[in-house]
Amino acid sequence: MKTTRTLTRALALFLTLGASLASAAAVAAEPAIRHLAKRNVWLINLAGSQYALGLTKEKELVHLWWGAKLPAGDYERGVVARIPVRSGFPEAVERYELPPWGGAHQIEPALKLRFADGVRDLRLAYAAHEVVGENELVINLADPHYPLQVAVHYRAHPRFDVLERWVVLKNTGSQPIDIEQALSAAWHLPLHERWTFRYLAGFWGAETQVRDVELQHGKFQIESRRGATSHQFNPWFAVRPTGETAEEQGEVWFGSLAWSGCWKIAAEVTSNGRLQVLGGIHDFDFSWRLAAGESFTTPAFVGGYANEGMGGVSRRLTAYQLAAVLPQPQAGQLRPVIYNSWYATEFSVNAAQQIALAEKAKLLGVELFVMDDGWFGQRKDARAGLGDWTPNAEKFPQGLKPLTDAVHGLGMKFGLWVEPEMVNPDSDLYRAHPDWVFHFPTRPRTQKRHQMMLNFARAEVREHIFQVLDRLLTDSPIDFIKWDMNRHVTEAGWMEAPAEQQREVLVRHVRAVYEIFDRLRARHPQVLWETCSGGGARVDLGIFQRTDQAWASDNTDPLDRLQIQEGYTQAYAPKTMVAWVTDNPDTINKRDTPLTFRFHCAMMGALGVGGNLLKWSEAEMSQTRFWVETYKAIRPLVQEGQLYRLRSPRTSAFSAAEYAAADGSAAVVFAFLQASSMGKPTPPLALRGLTPEAVYQVEAIVPPGVTAPLAPHQASGAALMAQGLTLKLRGDYASALVRLTRLP
Ligand code: GLA
């Protein structure tokens, strides 16, 4: 027996090592970008996928392939590019890599322009290409008649099967060009009879809910016209052949936009049965005057391919975000356990009460104490104060110092809430500068939550806000900022700008927000930033280049959160997802749930505690201490491990997710039973990502004196993945946390 097992292990080791060495060698031997000059084909090789482009006889750039890896020989033989790609024919027109509006192109274009002489027909042909470093390909296109250059950029992230695409438009002439539409990319999918499009939809308190829709002939579009990312749709998609629904199997193509303003993603099935997915800055209420010599750079549209179902998509996106999107070095650091005062105190904060909360938070093991709304200006409720970012003199007679000293004295970091893009009409800032908000002079200024939005397209406005925030961070020792945005744009007027530039305003605003973040990060590199927009309405790859984590939703009901979090982690790294334990009943559904259930749910992201600790019993405090300590022990797995969704909370009252170390050395499993029914036992959970031939110590983590849903035991990875883990869960809101440790 023993010899057999040793042999099996050796064989498995050889196979694993052999396979990974072979693929490493393949990756190493093969440059990410390859130009097959004879056929005018460019290949972008990623770890498990391939992307290919070519030219028609008329030198139009067309898409050839995106999917599983194919031998270069097939391109040489013309097998992949076998469809005659001639200009003007649907085969070519529907495969333009960056479709211009012009000629025979009559489906959704990426580019639509107006030249100075009034011509609105755009033609693009290959001019040159360049390989930058090892992983970036730039293909330069030019209009044959007009002085316009279009650089199509591809940056490959081979390890994650992810490709960033963006476009730079350059006016090389002496007359202005008006851009009416400039999407970042068109993704062309291989031919399939039927496609299902997955997206994330919602509203306030109900963000990132997973939706699947089968595409029909025509266009299906998700978008935001609100000047920000939005609660309604998140700029992410995944498509797979209809009928393929396995979580861990099957081909999936996906994309994610790095933009926090108005955006759209349009999936169009043509009458020839081709699917193209375009996306970028929304062309709705947009135009951009490109003056002589100027360039316009679109945000990136990130695309990827996975052949391990939706699980493969999420793990790729998570790894990509940690390595290439989130700010470094924070991306590689573990997120702290937070306390935030919002749910406990709302607007009625003061120094003594916040210090009292901080003292309690410290006892729980909290590492970062954040004071939310209510600390500044004349802020007593939502009606006043936004815009006046100095401490309220009644609540903080000695400024923030006593509080920051107390929090730091307790050994915690200190964080603060701000909402820099906003003013209340009842604020000193608005009284001094009523013209600084978005407005049209002849129209009433719509208020939402009693507030209006500052127009950062105006240089003096964005400079003022930068100065105010810079001073705040310079004057007080602040380690963390939660940047909120509680309303979106209405009356997007910028009437003092020249008429032909007024519809640039929403793009300029977002670029200004990014610029302020970038300047503040450069000047205060120690500060950690959280993006919030009435919950999760500004979560996207653009904001994640500048913020470290996100307030995923204002909804803290754990039952709803399971679904919101399932949606969030389709597209974004669990490390960025701040998740809260708040008081019973929750504020949205008025539901009471056990503290353990709330903790298990919130421990699946970056853990935050938000209850009114001044009212907590000793029993609640000691349970919380236990869970915070447990969270710290498993935090590397949750924040940096591989997420496997074992059972979806959308389809079953019993759901579970596993976070495993990439090397299979450890894992944790969270399981949730909403309500027992008919006394039925919960079905076994077949785990993932373990080493089949290794043996694991399996134990449920429970506070002292609580009955465990499973007896500690040992089992092989093979058994845990095939036969699965069986938990004894009964009752309402029952949950479990199981730890698996590989034995040496
Ligand atoms: C928004 C946020 C909350 C809180 C309040 C403060 O609703 O989503 O978390 O910060 O604003 O007013």
Coordinates of all heavy atoms in Angstrom, one line a residue, residues 159-160 162 236 254 256 302 310-326 328 331 541 544 568-577 636-645 659-660:
R159 N -0.2 35.6 -18.4 CA -0.5 34.7 -17.3 C -1.9 34.6 -17.0 O -2.4 33.6 -16.4 CB 0.3 35.2 -16.0 CG 1.7 34.7 -15.9 CD 2.2 35.0 -14.5 NE 2.3 36.4 -14.2 CZ 2.2 36.9 -13.0 NH1 2.0 36.1 -12.0 NH2 2.4 38.2 -12.8
F160 N -2.7 35.7 -17.2 CA -4.1 35.7 -16.9 C -5.0 35.6 -18.1 O -6.2 35.7 -17.9 CB -4.4 37.0 -16.1 CG -3.3 37.5 -15.2 CD1 -2.6 38.7 -15.3 CD2 -3.0 36.6 -14.1 CE1 -1.6 39.0 -14.5 CE2 -2.0 37.0 -13.2 CZ -1.3 38.2 -13.4
V162 N -5.5 37.6 -20.3 CA -6.1 38.9 -20.4 C -5.4 39.9 -21.3 O -4.2 39.9 -21.4 CB -6.2 39.5 -18.9 CG1 -6.4 41.0 -18.9 CG2 -7.4 38.9 -18.2
W236 N -19.0 45.3 -17.0 CA -18.4 44.0 -17.1 C -19.4 43.0 -17.8 O -20.6 43.2 -17.7 CB -18.1 43.5 -15.7 CG -17.7 42.0 -15.6 CD1 -16.4 41.6 -15.6 CD2 -18.5 40.9 -15.4 NE1 -16.4 40.2 -15.5 CE2 -17.7 39.8 -15.4 CE3 -19.9 40.7 -15.4 CZ2 -18.2 38.5 -15.3 CZ3 -20.4 39.4 -15.3 CH2 -19.5 38.3 -15.2
F254 N -14.8 37.2 -21.7 CA -15.3 38.2 -20.8 C -14.6 39.5 -21.0 O -13.6 39.6 -21.7 CB -15.1 37.8 -19.3 CG -13.7 37.4 -19.0 CD1 -12.8 38.3 -18.4 CD2 -13.2 36.1 -19.2 CE1 -11.5 38.0 -18.1 CE2 -11.8 35.8 -18.9 CZ -11.0 36.7 -18.4
S256 N -14.1 43.9 -19.3 CA -14.3 44.8 -18.2 C -13.8 46.1 -18.6 O -12.6 46.2 -19.1 CB -13.6 44.2 -17.0 OG -14.0 44.8 -15.8
V302 N -10.8 45.7 -21.1 CA -10.0 44.5 -20.8 C -10.8 43.3 -21.3 O -12.0 43.3 -21.0 CB -9.7 44.5 -19.3 CG1 -9.0 43.2 -18.9 CG2 -8.8 45.7 -18.9
M310 N -17.1 30.0 -15.2 CA -17.1 31.3 -14.6 C -16.1 31.4 -13.5 O -15.5 32.5 -13.2 CB -18.5 31.7 -14.0 CG -19.6 31.9 -15.0 SD -19.1 33.2 -16.2 CE -18.7 34.5 -15.2
G311 N -15.8 30.3 -12.9 CA -14.8 30.2 -11.8 C -13.4 30.7 -12.4 O -12.7 31.5 -11.8
G312 N -13.2 30.2 -13.6 CA -11.9 30.5 -14.3 C -11.9 32.0 -14.6 O -10.8 32.7 -14.5
V313 N -13.0 32.6 -14.9 CA -13.1 34.0 -15.2 C -12.7 34.8 -14.0 O -11.8 35.7 -14.0 CB -14.5 34.4 -15.7 CG1 -14.6 35.9 -15.8 CG2 -14.8 33.8 -17.0
S314 N -13.4 34.5 -12.9 CA -13.2 35.3 -11.6 C -11.7 35.2 -11.2 O -11.1 36.1 -10.7 CB -14.1 34.8 -10.5 OG -15.4 34.8 -11.0
R315 N -11.2 34.0 -11.2 CA -9.8 33.8 -10.7 C -8.8 34.5 -11.6 O -7.9 35.1 -11.1 CB -9.5 32.3 -10.6 CG -10.3 31.6 -9.5 CD -9.8 30.2 -9.2 NE -10.1 29.3 -10.3 CZ -11.2 28.7 -10.5 NH1 -12.2 28.8 -9.6 NH2 -11.4 27.9 -11.5
R316 N -9.1 34.5 -12.9 CA -8.2 35.3 -13.8 C -8.3 36.8 -13.5 O -7.3 37.5 -13.4 CB -8.5 35.0 -15.2 CG -7.9 33.8 -15.8 CD -8.4 33.5 -17.2 NE -7.7 32.4 -17.8 CZ -8.0 31.1 -17.4 NH1 -8.9 30.9 -16.5 NH2 -7.3 30.1 -18.0
L317 N -9.5 37.3 -13.4 CA -9.7 38.7 -13.1 C -9.1 39.1 -11.8 O -8.5 40.2 -11.6 CB -11.2 39.1 -13.2 CG -11.7 39.3 -14.7 CD1 -13.2 39.4 -14.7 CD2 -11.0 40.5 -15.3
T318 N -9.3 38.3 -10.8 CA -8.7 38.6 -9.5 C -7.2 38.7 -9.5 O -6.6 39.6 -9.1 CB -9.1 37.5 -8.4 OG1 -10.5 37.6 -8.2 CG2 -8.3 37.6 -7.1
A319 N -6.6 37.7 -10.2 CA -5.1 37.7 -10.2 C -4.6 38.8 -11.1 O -3.6 39.5 -10.7 CB -4.6 36.4 -10.9
Y320 N -5.3 39.2 -12.1 CA -4.9 40.3 -13.0 C -5.0 41.6 -12.2 O -4.1 42.5 -12.2 CB -5.8 40.3 -14.2 CG -5.9 41.6 -14.9 CD1 -4.8 42.1 -15.6 CD2 -7.1 42.4 -15.0 CE1 -4.8 43.4 -16.3 CE2 -7.1 43.6 -15.6 CZ -6.0 44.1 -16.3 OH -6.1 45.3 -16.9
Q321 N -6.1 41.8 -11.4 CA -6.3 43.0 -10.7 C -5.2 43.2 -9.6 O -4.7 44.2 -9.4 CB -7.7 43.0 -10.0 CG -8.8 43.3 -11.1 CD -10.1 42.8 -10.6 OE1 -10.4 42.7 -9.5 NE2 -11.0 42.6 -11.6
L322 N -4.9 42.1 -8.9 CA -3.9 42.2 -7.9 C -2.5 42.5 -8.5 O -1.7 43.2 -7.9 CB -3.8 40.9 -7.0 CG -5.0 40.5 -6.2 CD1 -4.8 39.4 -5.3 CD2 -5.5 41.7 -5.4
A323 N -2.2 41.9 -9.7 CA -0.9 42.1 -10.3 C -0.8 43.4 -11.1 O 0.3 44.0 -11.1 CB -0.6 40.9 -11.2
A324 N -1.9 43.8 -11.8 CA -1.7 44.8 -12.8 C -2.7 46.0 -12.7 O -2.6 46.9 -13.5 CB -1.8 44.2 -14.2
V325 N -3.7 46.0 -11.8 CA -4.6 47.1 -11.8 C -4.5 47.9 -10.5 O -4.3 49.1 -10.5 CB -6.1 46.6 -11.9 CG1 -7.1 47.7 -11.9 CG2 -6.2 45.8 -13.3
L326 N -4.7 47.2 -9.4 CA -4.7 47.9 -8.1 C -3.4 48.6 -7.8 O -2.3 48.1 -8.2 CB -5.0 46.9 -7.0 CG -6.5 46.4 -7.0 CD1 -6.6 45.1 -6.2 CD2 -7.5 47.4 -6.5
Q328 N 0.1 49.6 -6.4 CA 1.1 48.9 -5.6 C 1.8 49.9 -4.7 O 1.8 51.1 -5.0 CB 2.2 48.4 -6.6 CG 1.6 47.4 -7.6 CD 1.2 46.1 -7.1 OE1 1.5 45.8 -5.9 NE2 0.6 45.2 -7.9
A331 N -1.5 46.7 -3.3 CA -2.2 45.5 -3.8 C -1.7 44.2 -3.2 O -2.4 43.2 -3.1 CB -2.0 45.5 -5.4
L541 N -12.7 49.0 -13.2 CA -11.2 48.9 -13.3 C -10.6 50.2 -13.3 O -9.4 50.3 -13.1 CB -10.8 48.0 -14.5 CG -11.2 46.5 -14.4 CD1 -10.7 45.8 -15.6 CD2 -10.8 45.9 -13.1
F544 N -10.3 51.3 -9.7 CA -9.4 50.4 -9.0 C -7.9 50.7 -9.4 O -7.1 50.1 -8.8 CB -9.8 49.0 -9.2 CG -10.8 48.5 -8.3 CD1 -11.8 47.6 -8.7 CD2 -10.8 48.9 -7.0 CE1 -12.8 47.2 -7.8 CE2 -11.8 48.5 -6.0 CZ -12.8 47.6 -6.4
Y568 N -20.5 40.4 -7.2 CA -19.3 41.2 -7.1 C -18.0 40.4 -7.5 O -17.2 40.9 -8.3 CB -19.1 41.8 -5.7 CG -18.0 42.8 -5.5 CD1 -18.2 44.2 -5.5 CD2 -16.7 42.3 -5.4 CE1 -17.2 45.1 -5.3 CE2 -15.6 43.2 -5.2 CZ -15.9 44.6 -5.2 OH -14.8 45.4 -5.0
T569 N -17.9 39.2 -6.9 CA -16.7 38.4 -7.1 C -16.6 37.7 -8.5 O -15.6 37.1 -8.8 CB -16.5 37.4 -6.0 OG1 -17.7 36.6 -6.0 CG2 -16.3 38.0 -4.7
Q570 N -17.7 37.8 -9.3 CA -17.6 37.4 -10.7 C -16.5 38.2 -11.3 O -15.8 37.8 -12.2 CB -18.9 37.6 -11.5 CG -20.1 37.0 -10.9 CD -20.4 35.6 -11.4 OE1 -20.4 35.3 -12.5 NE2 -20.6 34.7 -10.4
A571 N -16.6 39.5 -11.0 CA -15.8 40.5 -11.8 C -14.6 41.1 -11.0 O -13.7 41.6 -11.6 CB -16.7 41.6 -12.2
Y572 N -14.7 41.1 -9.7 CA -13.7 41.8 -8.9 C -13.1 41.0 -7.8 O -13.8 40.1 -7.2 CB -14.3 43.1 -8.3 CG -14.8 44.0 -9.4 CD1 -16.2 44.1 -9.7 CD2 -13.9 44.7 -10.3 CE1 -16.7 44.8 -10.7 CE2 -14.4 45.5 -11.3 CZ -15.8 45.5 -11.5 OH -16.3 46.3 -12.6
A573 N -11.9 41.3 -7.4 CA -11.1 40.5 -6.4 C -11.8 40.6 -5.0 O -12.1 41.7 -4.6 CB -9.7 41.1 -6.3
P574 N -11.9 39.5 -4.3 CA -12.5 39.5 -3.0 C -11.7 40.4 -2.0 O -12.3 41.0 -1.1 CB -12.3 38.0 -2.5 CG -12.3 37.2 -3.8 CD -11.7 38.1 -4.8
K575 N -10.4 40.6 -2.3 CA -9.6 41.5 -1.4 C -10.2 42.9 -1.5 O -10.0 43.7 -0.5 CB -8.2 41.5 -2.0 CG -7.2 42.3 -1.1 CD -5.8 42.3 -1.7 CE -4.8 41.7 -0.8 NZ -3.5 41.8 -1.3
T576 N -10.8 43.3 -2.6 CA -11.3 44.7 -2.7 C -12.7 44.9 -2.1 O -13.2 46.0 -2.1 CB -11.4 45.1 -4.2 OG1 -12.3 44.3 -4.8 CG2 -10.0 45.0 -4.8
M577 N -13.3 43.8 -1.7 CA -14.8 43.8 -1.4 C -15.0 43.9 0.1 O -14.9 42.9 0.9 CB -15.4 42.5 -1.9 CG -16.9 42.4 -1.6 SD -17.6 40.9 -2.2 CE -17.0 39.7 -1.1
P636 N -5.2 35.6 4.6 CA -4.5 35.4 3.3 C -5.2 34.5 2.3 O -5.1 34.8 1.1 CB -3.2 34.7 3.8 CG -3.0 35.1 5.3 CD -4.4 35.2 5.8
L637 N -5.9 33.5 2.8 CA -6.6 32.6 1.9 C -7.8 33.4 1.2 O -8.0 33.3 0.0 CB -7.2 31.4 2.6 CG -6.2 30.3 3.0 CD1 -6.8 29.3 3.9 CD2 -5.6 29.7 1.7
V638 N -8.5 34.1 2.0 CA -9.7 34.8 1.5 C -9.2 35.9 0.6 O -9.8 36.1 -0.5 CB -10.5 35.4 2.7 CG1 -11.6 36.4 2.1 CG2 -11.2 34.3 3.5
Q639 N -8.3 36.7 1.0 CA -7.9 37.9 0.2 C -7.0 37.6 -1.0 O -6.9 38.3 -1.9 CB -7.2 38.9 1.1 CG -8.2 39.5 2.1 CD -7.7 40.7 2.8 OE1 -6.7 41.3 2.5 NE2 -8.4 41.2 3.9
E640 N -6.2 36.4 -0.9 CA -5.3 36.2 -1.9 C -5.4 34.8 -2.5 O -4.6 34.4 -3.4 CB -3.8 36.5 -1.4 CG -3.7 37.9 -1.1 CD -2.4 38.4 -0.5 OE1 -1.6 37.5 0.0 OE2 -2.1 39.6 -0.5
G641 N -6.4 34.0 -2.1 CA -6.5 32.6 -2.5 C -7.3 32.5 -3.8 O -7.6 33.5 -4.5
Q642 N -7.6 31.3 -4.2 CA -8.4 31.0 -5.4 C -9.8 30.8 -4.9 O -10.1 29.9 -4.1 CB -7.9 29.7 -6.0 CG -6.4 29.7 -6.2 CD -6.0 30.6 -7.4 OE1 -6.5 30.3 -8.5 NE2 -5.2 31.6 -7.2
L643 N -10.7 31.6 -5.5 CA -12.2 31.4 -5.1 C -12.9 30.4 -6.0 O -12.8 30.5 -7.2 CB -12.9 32.8 -5.2 CG -14.4 32.8 -5.1 CD1 -14.9 32.3 -3.8 CD2 -14.9 34.2 -5.4
Y644 N -13.5 29.5 -5.3 CA -14.3 28.5 -6.0 C -15.7 28.6 -5.5 O -15.9 28.4 -4.3 CB -13.8 27.0 -5.8 CG -12.5 26.8 -6.4 CD1 -11.3 27.0 -5.6 CD2 -12.3 26.4 -7.7 CE1 -10.1 26.7 -6.1 CE2 -11.0 26.2 -8.2 CZ -9.9 26.4 -7.4 OH -8.7 26.1 -8.0
R645 N -16.7 29.0 -6.3 CA -18.1 29.1 -5.8 C -18.7 27.6 -5.9 O -18.8 27.1 -7.0 CB -18.9 30.0 -6.7 CG -18.5 31.5 -6.4 CD -19.2 32.4 -7.3 NE -18.7 32.3 -8.7 CZ -17.8 33.2 -9.2 NH1 -17.4 34.2 -8.5 NH2 -17.4 33.1 -10.4
Y659 N -12.2 29.1 -0.6 CA -11.0 29.9 -0.9 C -9.8 29.0 -0.7 O -9.6 28.6 0.5 CB -10.9 31.2 -0.1 CG -12.0 32.2 -0.3 CD1 -13.3 31.9 0.3 CD2 -11.9 33.3 -1.0 CE1 -14.3 32.8 0.1 CE2 -12.9 34.2 -1.2 CZ -14.1 34.0 -0.6 OH -15.1 34.9 -0.8
A660 N -9.1 28.7 -1.7 CA -8.0 27.7 -1.6 C -6.7 28.4 -1.9 O -6.6 29.3 -2.8 CB -8.2 26.5 -2.5

